[in-house]
Amino acid sequence: MKFDDLYYIADELNKKKVRWMIGSSVLLYFHGMVNSPNDIDVVIDEKDIMKVKAIFDKIGIEQAKEKKYPYLTEYFYTYIVRDTSVDIMCNFGVAHQYGDYRLKIDESAIVEYRKINDVILPLSSLEDWYVLYQLMPGRENKVNMIEEFLISNGVDHYELFERALTQPLPEAVAYNVNRFIGDKS
């Protein structure tokens, strides 16, 4: 992944006043947990999905990609923009044995607006991705990275953990989240 490509994409989305946020490995990179993300994961507000599709049709080349269980993401597109693979997700969801979990995108979900090279990058929360990664198969390494970070640096967004608990979650995930909530007092 090239960071100049990220800044280019961010500038295009921001010019069109799209509500979006960065997640996954780029988010982990900005918190010092990974050295180099492989691709860019962009989470989009549903009201902007057609606008975003038009932007990416102009600046990138769409790649065929099939939806795979347990992912329930309503709109999922992969593009190559310049030299970088970009996954665009809207109504991002993961199925599990107790139901479906959906990532909400609203002003609460965007926890930081980081300015780099005169471009604003809206970042999603580690708290949301801590929950999501626990629901995704094969992401134990990322769960452990975030958990260690939250233990060392503290939880900044307890309200997002509390919001996560309003959706169906496996007992182990709810237990892990509640451990952090119990630490806030």
Side-chain angles (χ1 to χ4, degrees), residues 3 29 32-37:
F3 280 93
Y29 170 84
M33 289 182 245
V34 297
N35 292 327
S36 58

Side-chain angles (χ1 to χ4, degrees), residues 13 140 142:
L13 293 171
E140 294 81 11
K142 290 183 178 181

Side-chain angles (χ1 to χ4, degrees), residues 7-164:
Y7 308 141
Y8 170 70
I9 291 163
D11 190 50
E12 292 297 314
L13 293 171
N14 292 341
K15 282 193 286 192
K16 298 291 186 185
K17 300 192 182 334
V18 169
R19 180 183 287 172
W20 68 287
M21 61 187 186
I22 294 169
S24 202
S25 61
V26 175
L27 177 69
L28 299 182
Y29 170 84
F30 282 128
H31 288 283
M33 289 182 245
V34 297
N35 292 327
S36 58
N38 294 325
D39 64 359
I40 300 170
D41 290 289
V42 174
V43 184
I44 303 295
D45 189 325
E46 184 175 17
K47 72 178 179 52
D48 291 323
I49 192 60
M50 298 318 293
K51 191 186 315 184
V52 169
K53 182 87 170 83
I55 291 168
F56 277 89
D57 283 343
K58 208 180 232 184
I59 67 171
I61 300 167
E62 188 171 1
Q63 307 294 295
K65 199 158 191 177
E66 291 183 30
K67 292 183 182 180
K68 293 181 186 172
Y69 188 84
Y71 301 100
L72 303 172
T73 306
E74 189 174 344
Y75 301 96
F76 181 78
Y77 305 102
T78 297
Y79 282 84
I80 301 298
V81 177
R82 296 179 173 178
D83 294 319
T84 299
S85 179
V86 182
D87 287 339
I88 301 163
M89 300 170 280
C90 178
N91 292 334
F92 182 42
V94 183
H96 55 83
Q97 67 268 36
Y98 297 102
D100 300 342
Y101 185 87
R102 298 267 176 198
L103 175 63
K104 295 182 187 335
I105 177 168
D106 57 16
E107 284 306 313
S108 298
I110 302 170
V111 298
E112 181 182 353
Y113 291 90
R114 191 170 287 195
K115 188 174 184 178
I116 301 175
N117 293 348
D118 292 322
V119 177
I120 302 295
L121 302 172
L123 303 182
S124 55
S125 75
L126 290 174
E127 291 83 358
D128 278 335
W129 286 91
Y130 178 66
V131 173
L132 288 165
Y133 279 138
Q134 290 181 76
L135 299 173
M136 297 177 200
R139 304 300 172 96
E140 294 81 11
N141 185 41
K142 290 183 178 181
V143 171
N144 292 335
M145 278 192 274
I146 295 173
E147 190 168 90
E148 288 174 21
F149 183 91
L150 294 174
I151 289 168
S152 296
N153 298 286
V155 173
D156 288 328
H157 305 284
Y158 287 101
E159 71 281 3
L160 295 176
F161 273 158
E162 290 165 350
R163 178 161 87 172

